[in-house]
DNA sequence: AACGGTAAAATTGTCGACAATCTAGCTAGC
DNA sequence: GCTAGCTAGATTGTCGACAATTTTACCGTT
């Protein structure tokens, strides 16, 4: 099993995962104050556990904490989203470059299979649930980079925040077919071991995605 | 004052900073087991404080923790260093791009002054302590990006680990004058608001730096 | 002598209580 | 009527003790 499929083992883990889920999905609204005592009764654990969970959430940039005052869920802003996508552009661009270098032929073949299955789904059922497939695609390339720091930063760092934006600002956007074409070209570049091109295409892909989201936000 | 000059306020903060310093500077050797009880007596605080500090160190990628087993200081490896520099290349490259876009004319003028003062120092005293000046230069550009996520990732994330490598593998390298020229060109690009070029030069600069370090490691 | 299993010691995980700090509301003074 | 300072309440920070898990040491068996 991949070492990045985190499994909760301790109570603090479970509380952290639960809280993260609730925050990302908006069950706990953005900007909410997180009271330690309140949460400890709500989740039936001691305050120490909640404290540890909140600390981890802070490390994930999902909450902000002030000493002696408390923690609040971050509030979402257009600027924040732009900042996130700038980072994704550079980091996932690098991931694509490294994937072109480091993925095995087998992994690349798998990636192509994944893409084909997406194509079938899109073909059959005009609207398909983009999110899962898109995330899956990006995950594979990130993992394909074989750079553990990079993987960790994206998968247990930035991606949850990105998802929080997506869920709460309601981004079940179209861009399905165009995004699909972009994915196809990226895979092609990786298959050709063209690092330069893979990075460039991934950066563009994320840039387009950012623009698409921005155009919706302005409205 | 910049919001990224962290000030210790609580006991956990102080312990965290102290531990981080000791780890980065090798006072606590790489690979060492971090015993909570031991550290709590050593630093005269409760175990809860030490625990919190260790958790934060884990978030900074300076220690690795296993549930019910304990935490160890990360061990340094050539591969790890390469991974780090790959991330720096992409992230600081983006920082330079954004700095070219977002720094004020005043900030750019300041940056040029800094560079000139470095030039004087190098001129006067052939060997000068590169580290501080180099770090200062990179800091300014990172801050100049005005992207808070990016800034935080680099300054209270990756940079401590990079410094740990530098200190412990004894990188008071030469590359002073050549690095200086590279810095100069980057500032020039930023001054011209040439985002593309600024990013490209910064990426090259870090790539050269990486190669320089690699060549020393192989020996 | 080597191996496996069991019990004791040590270490981490969790808890509830106390101390320090911040917040809100009230009183007093202008 | 408004502001400043104080007091009471609530919240976070810190601590020591207990519970659960892992590691170590010992013993008996082969």
């Amino acid at each position: 099993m991949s070492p990045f499929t985190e499994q909760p083992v301790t109570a603090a883990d479970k509380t952290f995962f639960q809280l993260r889920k609730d925050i990302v999905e908006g069950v706990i609204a953005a900007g909410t104050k997180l009271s330690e005592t309140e949460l400890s009764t709500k989740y039936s654990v001691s305050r120490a556990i909640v404290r540890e969970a909140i600390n981890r959430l802070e490390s994930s940039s999902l909450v902000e904490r002030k000493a002696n005052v408390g923690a609040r869920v971050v509030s979402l802003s257009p600027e924040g989203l732009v900042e996130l996508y700038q980072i994704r552009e550079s980091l996932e661009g690098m991931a694509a470059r490294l994937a072109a270098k480091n993925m095995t032929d087998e992994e690349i073949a798998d990636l192509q299979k994944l893409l084909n299955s997406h194509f079938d789904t899109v073909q059959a059922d005009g609207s398909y649930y983009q999110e899962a497939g898109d995330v899956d695609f990006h995950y594979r390339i990130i993992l394909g980079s074989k750079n553990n720091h990079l993987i960790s930063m994206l998968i247990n760092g930035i991606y949850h925040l990105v998802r929080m934006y997506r869920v709460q600002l309601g981004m079940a956007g179209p861009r399905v077919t165009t995004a699909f074409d972009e994915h196809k070209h990226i895979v092609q570049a990786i298959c050709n071991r063209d690092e330069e091109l893979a990075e460039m295409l991934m950066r563009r892909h994320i840039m387009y995605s950012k623009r698409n989201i921005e155009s919706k936000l302005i409205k």
Side-chain angles (χ1 to χ4, degrees), chain A:
Chain A
M1 184 166 61
S2 166
F4 292 96
T5 52
E6 2 176 11
Q7 200 73 16
V9 19
T10 173
D13 284 340
K14 286 176 204 153
T15 310
F16 168 60
F17 288 125
Q18 182 64 47
L19 265 173
R20 187 174 66 182
K21 187 166 184 283
D22 289 348
I23 289 172
V24 167
E25 296 180 358
V27 176
I28 300 176
T32 308
K33 169 96 195 281
L34 292 180
S35 160
E36 294 181 1
T37 54
E38 190 183 324
L39 290 174
S40 84
T41 62
K42 183 175 171 187
Y43 291 103
S44 311
V45 288
S46 87
R47 248 190 67 217
I49 302 291
V50 173
R51 256 181 95 74
E52 185 173 332
I54 290 180
N55 276 331
R56 286 204 237 169
L57 289 170
E58 189 190 14
S59 296
S60 313
S61 308
L62 289 172
V63 316
E64 287 169 350
R65 167 171 242 161
K66 275 188 208 162
N68 287 312
V69 173
R72 309 193 81 87
V73 177
V74 295
S75 41
L76 308 181
S77 72
E79 300 79 34
L81 187 57
V82 170
E83 287 190 6
L84 267 189
Y85 269 74
Q86 288 169 342
I87 293 174
R88 280 192 67 191
E89 185 179 322
S90 77
L91 241 33
E92 293 200 43
M94 177 57 77
R97 171 184 286 271
L98 295 174
K101 186 165 140 197
N102 296 329
M103 281 178 85
T104 66
D105 294 339
E106 226 176 347
E107 289 167 336
I108 296 176
D110 268 14
L111 187 55
Q112 278 173 320
K113 257 195 285 185
L114 175 74
L115 209 59
N116 288 336
S117 80
H118 286 178
F119 180 70
D120 295 343
T121 321
V122 176
Q123 201 79 333
D125 163 8
S127 81
Y128 93 115
Y129 187 52
Q130 187 197 9
E131 174 97 25
D134 184 65
V135 169
D136 196 4
F137 176 80
H138 283 266
Y139 263 50
R140 297 234 187 169
I141 290 180
I142 291 166
L143 290 175
S145 75
K146 312 274 175 91
N147 181 319
N148 291 111
H149 286 290
L150 180 54
I151 295 170
S152 177
M153 274 179 144
L154 284 168
I155 290 189
N156 38 83
I158 292 178
Y159 256 61
H160 296 283
L161 195 48
V162 170
R163 202 161 87 83
M164 181 173 170
Y165 270 100
R166 280 215 189 123
V167 172
Q168 301 206 21
L169 302 184
M171 303 294 176
R175 249 184 67 72
V176 176
T177 51
T178 63
F180 178 80
D181 278 346
E182 288 162 23
H183 286 186
K184 206 172 64 182
H185 290 138
I186 292 169
V187 172
Q188 191 55 52
I190 290 175
C191 191
N192 293 339
R193 305 290 184 185
D194 189 334
E195 303 179 25
E196 197 85 17
L197 185 62
E199 172 165 16
M200 191 180 131
L201 291 177
M202 178 62 90
R203 286 184 68 152
R204 270 203 210 162
H205 171 56
I206 290 171
M207 211 180 72
Y208 292 154
S209 191
K210 179 181 78 176
R211 284 190 190 159
N212 178 55
I213 287 173
E214 279 177 329
S215 71
K216 287 188 181 171
L217 279 184
I218 309 297
K219 289 178 194 167

